[in-house]
Amino acid sequence: MENVIIIGTGPAGYTAAIYAARADLKPLILTGTQPGGQLTTTTEVENFPGFPEGISGPDLMVQMQQQAEKFGTRVEFAHIDRLTKEDDGTFTLHAADKAYHTRAVIICSGASARYLGLPGEEELTKGGHGLTACATCDGAFYRDVPVCVIGGGDSACEEATFLTKFASKVYLIHRRDELRASKIMAQRALDHEKIEPVWNSGIKEYLTNDKGDIRGVLLENLQDGSTSELAVEGVFMAIGHTPNSAFLNGLVETDDNGYILQKHGTRTSVEGIYAAGDISDTEYRQAITAAGQGCAASIEVERWLATQEG
Ligand code: NAP
């Protein structure tokens, strides 16, 4: 029986592990299918405090893992399919070929940015080749070049507006002729001189140069089916995120989209289960905010376990 198992190895998970290990809770952290989380798909991270020169996303995650392990965290590669609560108040985490038993759980399984599902997306996102889902992270790498944002929600408008600080031009490509975003954010984007909406359109293909970097997109007009090339060097996906919460199977209360609802601090609707990072954050989604929540969750678990011991 473990004291606490942390699910997910992004900034929330590793920060929770560092705090839990230093509190002598001997935490076990399970990696999930994407060890290191979303940051392993970005290149340079320039907004995580403490790294004035910037640090690559994968390097930052390796360092977090080393810091967690230094204090005794055990890291295991496992993907949890189901989480159940037992009659004695403990929890069982079910992986394909193993079950884990624990008194407390910190869920840091994150959210995954949605992509269009077009060929080449995996390679284009991994090596900084021009496809990303985070303007805050990667916008500054696109100075004085044209870029595009896909989507019509608040994220798309926010990202497009943010990108005007760097890019020479920002095309806002949306599949309809009306934005879903709140009026104020939509208006701010549409009023900006650098932003040009491209209505009723979708991306059919990413166009790359001989280095494999994006040089443009093949657009499809969804009304008449015609296609045209648009020259851009960065494509910013903003078509929503999917929280990685399917394994909860209704055990913990979530919102309609599957994000875990935090009740007080990082507590969830189930005593002994805590949530930190993007799995319960539709608002900020930053490495540093996730790390802060991981810290909070760990402190709350430590206090809660102490009360259980009577
Ligand atoms: P969202 O509101 O779900 O919008 C997703 C957008 O992507 C929609 O315009 C949708 O088009 C489009 N889309 C979805 N699938 C697509 C596909 N396969 N191909 C092309 N387009 C596709 O997601 P979000 O903008 O990330 O916002 C999520 C939540 O966070 C919202 O509640 C939002 O208000 C909130 N948020 C708030 C702020 C803020 O207040 N500062 C900032 C960001 C996000 P349709 O419109 O045609 O469905």
Side-chain angles (χ1 to χ4, degrees), residues 161-186:
T161 305
F162 179 78
L163 286 166
T164 59
K165 291 179 201 233
F166 312 104
S168 56
K169 177 101 192 165
V170 181
Y171 296 98
L172 181 58
I173 300 171
H174 186 34
R175 61 184 177 185
R176 297 186 291 130
D177 62 357
E178 191 188 4
L179 296 172
R180 168 185 299 280
S182 56
K183 275 211 168 63
I184 185 163
M185 293 182 78

mmCIF file of all heavy atoms in Angstrom, residues 161-186:
data_model
loop_
_atom_site.group_PDB
_atom_site.id
_atom_site.type_symbol
_atom_site.label_atom_id
_atom_site.label_comp_id
_atom_site.label_asym_id
_atom_site.label_seq_id
_atom_site.Cartn_x
_atom_site.Cartn_y
_atom_site.Cartn_z
ATOM 1 N N THR A 161 -4.216 37.347 -31.120
ATOM 2 C CA THR A 161 -3.901 38.686 -30.624
ATOM 3 C C THR A 161 -2.489 38.705 -30.032
ATOM 4 O O THR A 161 -1.704 39.621 -30.289
ATOM 5 C CB THR A 161 -4.946 39.126 -29.575
ATOM 6 O OG1 THR A 161 -6.240 39.009 -30.168
ATOM 7 C CG2 THR A 161 -4.719 40.549 -29.120
ATOM 8 N N PHE A 162 -2.162 37.674 -29.264
ATOM 9 C CA PHE A 162 -0.828 37.577 -28.665
ATOM 10 C C PHE A 162 0.246 37.529 -29.754
ATOM 11 O O PHE A 162 1.292 38.172 -29.653
ATOM 12 C CB PHE A 162 -0.763 36.324 -27.787
ATOM 13 C CG PHE A 162 0.562 36.095 -27.140
ATOM 14 C CD1 PHE A 162 0.936 36.816 -26.010
ATOM 15 C CD2 PHE A 162 1.452 35.160 -27.652
ATOM 16 C CE1 PHE A 162 2.173 36.606 -25.411
ATOM 17 C CE2 PHE A 162 2.683 34.943 -27.058
ATOM 18 C CZ PHE A 162 3.053 35.666 -25.935
ATOM 19 N N LEU A 163 -0.030 36.794 -30.813
ATOM 20 C CA LEU A 163 0.973 36.604 -31.863
ATOM 21 C C LEU A 163 1.269 37.884 -32.647
ATOM 22 O O LEU A 163 2.322 37.994 -33.277
ATOM 23 C CB LEU A 163 0.506 35.495 -32.826
ATOM 24 C CG LEU A 163 0.617 34.084 -32.244
ATOM 25 C CD1 LEU A 163 -0.167 33.080 -33.087
ATOM 26 C CD2 LEU A 163 2.081 33.655 -32.150
ATOM 27 N N THR A 164 0.354 38.859 -32.587
ATOM 28 C CA THR A 164 0.604 40.117 -33.315
ATOM 29 C C THR A 164 1.835 40.849 -32.765
ATOM 30 O O THR A 164 2.391 41.702 -33.432
ATOM 31 C CB THR A 164 -0.605 41.072 -33.242
ATOM 32 O OG1 THR A 164 -0.865 41.355 -31.864
ATOM 33 C CG2 THR A 164 -1.835 40.476 -33.892
ATOM 34 N N LYS A 165 2.239 40.512 -31.538
ATOM 35 C CA LYS A 165 3.447 41.131 -30.968
ATOM 36 C C LYS A 165 4.688 40.748 -31.764
ATOM 37 O O LYS A 165 5.694 41.429 -31.719
ATOM 38 C CB LYS A 165 3.680 40.628 -29.538
ATOM 39 C CG LYS A 165 2.696 41.087 -28.531
ATOM 40 C CD LYS A 165 3.084 40.460 -27.194
ATOM 41 C CE LYS A 165 1.916 40.457 -26.287
ATOM 42 N NZ LYS A 165 2.086 41.025 -25.027
ATOM 43 N N PHE A 166 4.644 39.601 -32.395
ATOM 44 C CA PHE A 166 5.852 39.073 -33.048
ATOM 45 C C PHE A 166 5.681 38.968 -34.564
ATOM 46 O O PHE A 166 6.517 39.454 -35.307
ATOM 47 C CB PHE A 166 6.174 37.673 -32.495
ATOM 48 C CG PHE A 166 6.147 37.604 -31.003
ATOM 49 C CD1 PHE A 166 5.077 37.027 -30.337
ATOM 50 C CD2 PHE A 166 7.188 38.144 -30.260
ATOM 51 C CE1 PHE A 166 5.047 36.974 -28.960
ATOM 52 C CE2 PHE A 166 7.171 38.094 -28.878
ATOM 53 C CZ PHE A 166 6.094 37.505 -28.225
ATOM 54 N N ALA A 167 4.629 38.311 -34.981
ATOM 55 C CA ALA A 167 4.487 37.962 -36.396
ATOM 56 C C ALA A 167 4.211 39.196 -37.245
ATOM 57 O O ALA A 167 3.688 40.200 -36.758
ATOM 58 C CB ALA A 167 3.352 36.953 -36.548
ATOM 59 N N SER A 168 4.556 39.094 -38.531
ATOM 60 C CA SER A 168 4.269 40.211 -39.443
ATOM 61 C C SER A 168 2.787 40.219 -39.818
ATOM 62 O O SER A 168 2.211 41.260 -40.120
ATOM 63 C CB SER A 168 5.131 40.083 -40.702
ATOM 64 O OG SER A 168 4.917 38.820 -41.308
ATOM 65 N N LYS A 169 2.164 39.032 -39.768
ATOM 66 C CA LYS A 169 0.760 38.903 -40.173
ATOM 67 C C LYS A 169 0.197 37.656 -39.498
ATOM 68 O O LYS A 169 0.910 36.655 -39.374
ATOM 69 C CB LYS A 169 0.734 38.720 -41.704
ATOM 70 C CG LYS A 169 -0.603 38.497 -42.283
ATOM 71 C CD LYS A 169 -1.104 39.766 -42.893
ATOM 72 C CE LYS A 169 -2.561 39.672 -43.223
ATOM 73 N NZ LYS A 169 -3.140 40.975 -43.493
ATOM 74 N N VAL A 170 -1.052 37.738 -39.053
ATOM 75 C CA VAL A 170 -1.657 36.562 -38.415
ATOM 76 C C VAL A 170 -2.982 36.261 -39.126
ATOM 77 O O VAL A 170 -3.918 37.066 -39.078
ATOM 78 C CB VAL A 170 -1.934 36.813 -36.909
ATOM 79 C CG1 VAL A 170 -2.529 35.570 -36.263
ATOM 80 C CG2 VAL A 170 -0.671 37.244 -36.177
ATOM 81 N N TYR A 171 -3.039 35.128 -39.804
ATOM 82 C CA TYR A 171 -4.293 34.708 -40.430
ATOM 83 C C TYR A 171 -5.071 33.881 -39.414
ATOM 84 O O TYR A 171 -4.511 32.967 -38.799
ATOM 85 C CB TYR A 171 -4.012 33.859 -41.677
ATOM 86 C CG TYR A 171 -3.295 34.619 -42.757
ATOM 87 C CD1 TYR A 171 -1.908 34.506 -42.902
ATOM 88 C CD2 TYR A 171 -3.991 35.456 -43.625
ATOM 89 C CE1 TYR A 171 -1.239 35.216 -43.887
ATOM 90 C CE2 TYR A 171 -3.325 36.168 -44.616
ATOM 91 C CZ TYR A 171 -1.955 36.037 -44.736
ATOM 92 O OH TYR A 171 -1.288 36.745 -45.709
ATOM 93 N N LEU A 172 -6.334 34.209 -39.244
ATOM 94 C CA LEU A 172 -7.184 33.460 -38.315
ATOM 95 C C LEU A 172 -8.122 32.600 -39.166
ATOM 96 O O LEU A 172 -9.073 33.100 -39.780
ATOM 97 C CB LEU A 172 -7.981 34.442 -37.440
ATOM 98 C CG LEU A 172 -8.905 33.857 -36.383
ATOM 99 C CD1 LEU A 172 -8.147 32.960 -35.412
ATOM 100 C CD2 LEU A 172 -9.583 34.991 -35.602
ATOM 101 N N ILE A 173 -7.794 31.313 -39.221
ATOM 102 C CA ILE A 173 -8.523 30.415 -40.132
ATOM 103 C C ILE A 173 -9.635 29.717 -39.358
ATOM 104 O O ILE A 173 -9.371 29.024 -38.358
ATOM 105 C CB ILE A 173 -7.556 29.367 -40.734
ATOM 106 C CG1 ILE A 173 -6.446 30.085 -41.510
ATOM 107 C CG2 ILE A 173 -8.305 28.395 -41.628
ATOM 108 C CD1 ILE A 173 -5.327 29.167 -41.964
ATOM 109 N N HIS A 174 -10.866 29.902 -39.792
ATOM 110 C CA HIS A 174 -12.002 29.320 -39.070
ATOM 111 C C HIS A 174 -12.923 28.592 -40.054
ATOM 112 O O HIS A 174 -13.114 29.045 -41.178
ATOM 113 C CB HIS A 174 -12.752 30.430 -38.342
ATOM 114 C CG HIS A 174 -13.844 29.920 -37.451
ATOM 115 N ND1 HIS A 174 -13.764 28.728 -36.766
ATOM 116 C CD2 HIS A 174 -15.061 30.452 -37.132
ATOM 117 C CE1 HIS A 174 -14.868 28.547 -36.067
ATOM 118 N NE2 HIS A 174 -15.673 29.575 -36.271
ATOM 119 N N ARG A 175 -13.520 27.495 -39.570
ATOM 120 C CA ARG A 175 -14.320 26.682 -40.481
ATOM 121 C C ARG A 175 -15.706 27.257 -40.765
ATOM 122 O O ARG A 175 -16.417 26.774 -41.641
ATOM 123 C CB ARG A 175 -14.437 25.262 -39.936
ATOM 124 C CG ARG A 175 -15.117 25.152 -38.580
ATOM 125 C CD ARG A 175 -15.089 23.718 -38.096
ATOM 126 N NE ARG A 175 -15.658 23.585 -36.765
ATOM 127 C CZ ARG A 175 -15.670 22.447 -36.079
ATOM 128 N NH1 ARG A 175 -15.151 21.360 -36.600
ATOM 129 N NH2 ARG A 175 -16.200 22.391 -34.884
ATOM 130 N N ARG A 176 -16.088 28.267 -39.969
ATOM 131 C CA ARG A 176 -17.390 28.918 -40.226
ATOM 132 C C ARG A 176 -17.147 30.398 -40.532
ATOM 133 O O ARG A 176 -16.003 30.828 -40.638
ATOM 134 C CB ARG A 176 -18.287 28.787 -38.993
ATOM 135 C CG ARG A 176 -18.611 27.333 -38.668
ATOM 136 C CD ARG A 176 -19.607 27.227 -37.534
ATOM 137 N NE ARG A 176 -19.077 27.634 -36.251
ATOM 138 C CZ ARG A 176 -19.656 28.483 -35.419
ATOM 139 N NH1 ARG A 176 -20.806 29.036 -35.744
ATOM 140 N NH2 ARG A 176 -19.104 28.786 -34.256
ATOM 141 N N ASP A 177 -18.236 31.189 -40.627
ATOM 142 C CA ASP A 177 -18.024 32.618 -40.895
ATOM 143 C C ASP A 177 -18.369 33.459 -39.671
ATOM 144 O O ASP A 177 -18.651 34.655 -39.768
ATOM 145 C CB ASP A 177 -18.833 33.076 -42.119
ATOM 146 C CG ASP A 177 -20.327 32.925 -41.907
ATOM 147 O OD1 ASP A 177 -20.723 32.417 -40.827
ATOM 148 O OD2 ASP A 177 -21.091 33.299 -42.806
ATOM 149 N N GLU A 178 -18.366 32.789 -38.520
ATOM 150 C CA GLU A 178 -18.698 33.493 -37.275
ATOM 151 C C GLU A 178 -17.854 32.877 -36.164
ATOM 152 O O GLU A 178 -17.735 31.647 -36.087
ATOM 153 C CB GLU A 178 -20.180 33.249 -36.978
ATOM 154 C CG GLU A 178 -20.745 34.087 -35.888
ATOM 155 C CD GLU A 178 -22.175 33.620 -35.558
ATOM 156 O OE1 GLU A 178 -22.641 32.604 -36.138
ATOM 157 O OE2 GLU A 178 -22.795 34.244 -34.712
ATOM 158 N N LEU A 179 -17.273 33.737 -35.329
ATOM 159 C CA LEU A 179 -16.426 33.212 -34.254
ATOM 160 C C LEU A 179 -17.277 32.735 -33.080
ATOM 161 O O LEU A 179 -18.326 33.313 -32.797
ATOM 162 C CB LEU A 179 -15.447 34.288 -33.784
ATOM 163 C CG LEU A 179 -14.424 34.749 -34.830
ATOM 164 C CD1 LEU A 179 -13.629 35.948 -34.313
ATOM 165 C CD2 LEU A 179 -13.478 33.610 -35.197
ATOM 166 N N ARG A 180 -16.794 31.699 -32.418
ATOM 167 C CA ARG A 180 -17.455 31.201 -31.213
ATOM 168 C C ARG A 180 -17.027 32.013 -29.980
ATOM 169 O O ARG A 180 -17.689 32.016 -28.956
ATOM 170 C CB ARG A 180 -17.053 29.736 -31.027
ATOM 171 C CG ARG A 180 -17.395 29.112 -29.713
ATOM 172 C CD ARG A 180 -16.816 27.712 -29.639
ATOM 173 N NE ARG A 180 -17.359 26.846 -30.673
ATOM 174 C CZ ARG A 180 -18.551 26.250 -30.581
ATOM 175 N NH1 ARG A 180 -19.288 26.408 -29.504
ATOM 176 N NH2 ARG A 180 -18.987 25.484 -31.551
ATOM 177 N N ALA A 181 -15.904 32.700 -30.107
ATOM 178 C CA ALA A 181 -15.292 33.404 -28.969
ATOM 179 C C ALA A 181 -16.233 34.447 -28.372
ATOM 180 O O ALA A 181 -17.167 34.914 -29.031
ATOM 181 C CB ALA A 181 -14.022 34.083 -29.444
ATOM 182 N N SER A 182 -15.964 34.835 -27.122
ATOM 183 C CA SER A 182 -16.736 35.896 -26.470
ATOM 184 C C SER A 182 -16.571 37.176 -27.298
ATOM 185 O O SER A 182 -15.539 37.374 -27.955
ATOM 186 C CB SER A 182 -16.219 36.108 -25.057
ATOM 187 O OG SER A 182 -14.831 36.385 -25.093
ATOM 188 N N LYS A 183 -17.597 38.030 -27.238
ATOM 189 C CA LYS A 183 -17.621 39.221 -28.101
ATOM 190 C C LYS A 183 -16.371 40.068 -27.960
ATOM 191 O O LYS A 183 -15.768 40.494 -28.936
ATOM 192 C CB LYS A 183 -18.849 40.073 -27.753
ATOM 193 C CG LYS A 183 -20.088 39.643 -28.463
ATOM 194 C CD LYS A 183 -21.013 40.851 -28.714
ATOM 195 C CE LYS A 183 -22.111 40.487 -29.685
ATOM 196 N NZ LYS A 183 -23.003 39.415 -29.173
ATOM 197 N N ILE A 184 -15.975 40.274 -26.713
ATOM 198 C CA ILE A 184 -14.857 41.194 -26.473
ATOM 199 C C ILE A 184 -13.550 40.642 -27.061
ATOM 200 O O ILE A 184 -12.785 41.374 -27.686
ATOM 201 C CB ILE A 184 -14.732 41.527 -24.965
ATOM 202 C CG1 ILE A 184 -13.644 42.570 -24.751
ATOM 203 C CG2 ILE A 184 -14.465 40.313 -24.114
ATOM 204 C CD1 ILE A 184 -13.720 43.249 -23.413
ATOM 205 N N MET A 185 -13.335 39.348 -26.917
ATOM 206 C CA MET A 185 -12.094 38.766 -27.433
ATOM 207 C C MET A 185 -12.129 38.663 -28.948
ATOM 208 O O MET A 185 -11.119 38.866 -29.622
ATOM 209 C CB MET A 185 -11.838 37.406 -26.787
ATOM 210 C CG MET A 185 -11.553 37.596 -25.315
ATOM 211 S SD MET A 185 -11.193 36.099 -24.444
ATOM 212 C CE MET A 185 -9.544 35.810 -24.913
ATOM 213 N N ALA A 186 -13.321 38.362 -29.488
ATOM 214 C CA ALA A 186 -13.467 38.293 -30.940
ATOM 215 C C ALA A 186 -13.210 39.673 -31.553
ATOM 216 O O ALA A 186 -12.462 39.809 -32.525
ATOM 217 C CB ALA A 186 -14.864 37.800 -31.299
#
